Amino acid sequence: MPRLVLLGALLCMLSVGLGAADSPEDWPPPAPHNCPYKCVCTADLLSCAGLGLQEVPAVLPAAAADLDLSHNALQRLRPGWLAPLSRLRVLRLDHNELGALGRGSFINGSGLQQLDLSSNALRVLGRHDLDGLGALEKLLLFNNHLAHLDKHAFHALGVLSHLYLGCNELESFSFNHLHGLGTVHLRTLDLSSNRLGRIPVSELAALPAFLKNGLYLHNNPLPCDCHLYHLLQRWHQRGLSAVRDFAREYTCLAFRVPASRVRFFQHSRIFENCSAALAHSLERPEEQLHAQMGQSLRLHCNTSAPALHVAWVSPQQELLVAPSSRDGSIAVLADGSLVINVVQQQHAGLFVCLAVGPRLHHNQTHEYNVTVHFPHPEPEAFNTGFTTLLGCAVGLVLVLLYLFAPPCRGCCCCCRRPCHCHRWPRAPSPLQELSAQSSVLSTTPPDVPSRKASVHKHVVFLEPGRRSLNGRVQLAVAEDFDLYNPRGLQLKASSESTSSTGSESPVMT
């Protein structure tokens, strides 16, 4: 019996030990399916950043929608390496050592929407290097060594909206056909910090307004050309963000040497001899339209020839294509015209029409600058009947007051309170008339030094027809005038009369 008890205790201890060893806390996590070594795989994210990889891992999980291979040492990409990644939407290949892409590098990336190739060693972009990226919307190629772009390098990118080519070595760029890019979807084109020294101004002026707002040309050795200066100056006055936000970094070379670089918008003295009409002759101004809140508005896409395809860009940078509508307020009709059923405040801004057709040599654009006004309240109608009735009532009240409220004559006994009657003043004396005409103060004559100046001094101007001395107006000075003792009044001749005739004596009253 004791042996059985001891054996049972040993079995319990053994089972407890085995259970503790097999607890879930000590189990190693299962490795994700096809997750490369040292990479992090979670849900649809795959990160192999900063691992020093020289080649892309051979096996990649098919569920990856966001693949990060940045900050490695990749030098090339195998053709067709994206075939297993049918769900891939974002691919990050920045900060590697890619010197070239090659044909077929992205042939299986039909679903890719964002591609980051920045901070590599790319020098040339070939015609077929980006084939297969039909759904790509954002392409980052800045901080490379790109010096040449094939004229059809971006022809496969039909819906690209943001292209970043800054910090490269480009000396020219075709703004006529944008190296195969279409202007329908493109919103941002960054060409800053390159070596662009020749820019066709006429091609810049022909770009649609929404692309001008996202065209970055700062920090380039641009020529100090009158046409280019006035075009950029007009863009700056219109408030285009690409020029306004980097105004200090727009420079030009005055004498074709790096030391002669001046700022466009701060040292404009070198453009004083340029005519301001050059910019208006190059760039077609937008058509100004005014609409009131709540009204309807229709915009026509005026082109030189019938257009095969018409698209519109709203002030909110939204693409509107016929036949389609957005939230019921804006609709593009089959003939290419744009209709706003009920004009609201958000409809104010620039509407751009893009037209493409076989007879149109270039994609033509037509711009409308819509200004929305609030309706003015209508003035209230003038009610003549009310005013007539009010006038009759006021007139009746005045008549009653005149009939039953006679003026007060003396202090009547019937009144319970004393009447305050007006007292007419007595006729003023000649002395008062003389005193009433005084207006200018005079000082004591210098020939009476013993007498002090009084504070009651007046200079009296007498009428010329009544009293005069030798044809001059007589002045009277009243000193210490006393209303009850007028005998102290002394009238003296004016200073001009005294100086002209020495025989005349002051007039005493």
Side-chain angles (χ1 to χ4, degrees):
M1 187 69 180
R3 293 181 178 178
L4 293 177
V5 173
L6 181 61
L7 182 61
L10 291 175
L11 290 175
C12 290
M13 294 175 60
L14 182 61
S15 62
V16 171
L18 291 176
D22 295 337
S23 61
E25 289 79 3
D26 295 337
W27 291 348
H33 184 64
N34 292 336
C35 186
Y37 177 67
K38 291 186 179 181
C39 295
V40 178
C41 302
T42 169
D44 59 349
L45 303 179
L46 172 58
S47 177
C48 300
L51 300 179
L53 301 178
Q54 296 183 357
E55 292 186 356
V56 179
V59 180
L60 297 172
D66 190 323
L67 175 58
D68 188 358
L69 292 171
S70 62
H71 295 86
N72 282 289
L74 302 179
Q75 297 182 359
R76 67 183 186 91
L77 299 174
R78 300 188 308 270
W81 70 282
L82 292 178
L85 305 176
S86 59
R87 304 180 184 179
L88 192 63
R89 298 295 179 267
V90 179
L91 176 59
R92 297 180 175 87
L93 293 169
D94 56 289
H95 293 87
N96 278 280
E97 300 176 5
L98 296 174
L101 295 177
R103 188 168 186 171
S105 298
F106 305 102
I107 194 64
N108 301 111
S110 58
L112 202 62
Q113 298 177 356
Q114 178 176 335
L115 175 60
D116 190 353
L117 289 168
S118 62
S119 300
N120 276 277
L122 298 175
R123 296 183 178 274
V124 178
L125 199 60
R127 181 169 186 173
H128 301 286
D129 287 352
L130 300 176
D131 286 353
L133 301 175
L136 193 65
E137 299 177 359
K138 182 179 293 186
L139 176 59
L140 291 82
L141 287 167
F142 62 87
N143 196 25
N144 276 276
H145 303 285
L146 289 173
H148 175 72
L149 300 175
D150 188 270
K151 62 179 182 179
H152 298 291
F154 307 113
H155 76 286
L157 311 180
V159 296
L160 190 69
S161 59
H162 297 79
L163 176 59
Y164 298 89
L165 290 167
C167 298
N168 278 285
E169 301 175 6
L170 297 175
E171 297 183 358
S172 62
F173 189 86
S174 175
F175 293 96
N176 188 10
H177 66 288
L178 302 177
H179 294 270
L181 283 172
T183 59
V184 176
H185 298 275
L186 193 60
R187 296 295 179 272
T188 301
L189 178 57
D190 182 12
L191 293 170
S192 62
S193 301
N194 275 275
R195 299 178 181 178
L196 298 178
R198 301 187 308 272
I199 293 184
V201 182
S202 59
E203 296 179 4
L204 286 182
L207 295 176
F210 57 84
L211 183 53
K212 296 174 185 176
N213 192 48
L215 178 60
Y216 297 87
L217 295 172
H218 58 276
N219 200 18
N220 274 287
L222 303 174
C224 292
D225 180 69
C226 291
H227 295 79
L228 182 60
Y229 166 73
H230 283 293
L231 184 64
L232 294 177
Q233 183 72 21
R234 189 168 186 267
W235 290 5
H236 187 270
Q237 293 174 355
R238 291 174 62 185
L240 300 186
S241 59
V243 180
R244 179 191 57 196
D245 296 343
F246 297 92
R248 290 180 54 85
E249 299 183 33
Y250 273 86
T251 58
C252 67
L253 298 181
F255 305 107
R256 299 181 180 273
V257 292
S260 64
R261 178 175 294 188
V262 295
R263 289 188 172 93
F264 260 106
F265 306 107
Q266 292 186 357
H267 302 85
S268 59
R269 297 182 60 183
I270 61 176
F271 303 105
E272 290 179 350
N273 296 329
C274 298
S275 175
L278 294 175
H280 297 279
S281 62
L282 290 171
E283 190 176 37
R284 182 181 178 183
E286 63 272 7
E287 186 174 345
Q288 302 291 333
L289 291 180
H290 297 270
Q292 286 193 357
M293 293 274 292
Q295 293 183 348
S296 61
L297 185 63
R298 185 170 182 173
L299 308 179
H300 297 275
C301 190
N302 299 323
T303 57
S304 59
L308 184 62
H309 300 286
V310 175
W312 289 84
V313 179
S314 68
Q316 288 75 28
Q317 304 296 322
E318 295 176 340
L319 184 65
L320 306 173
V321 184
S324 65
S325 62
R326 180 179 64 85
D327 61 36
S329 61
I330 301 179
V332 181
L333 304 183
D335 61 353
S337 60
L338 183 139
V339 176
I340 304 176
N341 297 321
V342 180
V343 176
Q344 301 295 331
Q345 187 63 35
Q346 63 267 20
H347 296 146
L350 198 65
F351 285 88
V352 181
C353 170
L354 305 173
V356 179
R359 297 185 180 180
L360 300 177
H361 299 287
H362 304 285
N363 297 345
Q364 292 190 2
T365 62
H366 195 84
E367 303 174 2
Y368 292 93
N369 193 357
V370 178
T371 304
V372 178
H373 300 279
F374 290 93
H376 298 285
E378 297 181 358
E380 299 181 358
F382 188 72
N383 194 344
T384 58
F386 176 76
T387 54
T388 303
L389 180 60
L390 181 61
C392 293
V394 172
L396 181 60
V397 171
L398 293 177
V399 171
L400 293 177
L401 289 176
Y402 178 77
L403 294 177
F404 297 99
C408 180
R409 294 193 179 100
C411 295
C412 54
C413 60
C414 61
C415 299
R416 295 184 179 275
R417 54 187 178 180
C419 298
H420 299 280
C421 300
H422 299 283
R423 297 182 181 272
W424 295 102
R426 293 177 296 179
S429 62
L431 184 60
Q432 291 177 342
E433 289 182 354
L434 187 63
S435 175
Q437 297 177 5
S438 61
S439 59
V440 181
L441 295 179
S442 174
T443 59
T444 304
D447 55 351
V448 190
S450 61
R451 190 168 183 177
K452 296 182 179 180
S454 174
V455 295
H456 303 289
K457 294 181 179 181
H458 304 277
V459 177
V460 180
F461 295 89
L462 300 181
E463 297 181 2
R466 296 177 60 180
R467 286 188 180 182
S468 62
L469 295 177
N470 296 333
R472 288 183 170 84
V473 179
Q474 179 182 354
L475 302 180
V477 180
E479 300 182 1
D480 300 334
F481 174 70
D482 189 358
L483 180 60
Y484 302 99
N485 187 14
R487 298 190 179 188
L489 178 63
Q490 297 179 357
L491 298 180
K492 296 184 179 181
S494 62
S495 59
E496 184 178 359
S497 300
T498 305
S499 60
S500 60
T501 56
S503 61
E504 297 172 353
S505 59
V507 180
M508 303 297 296
T509 303

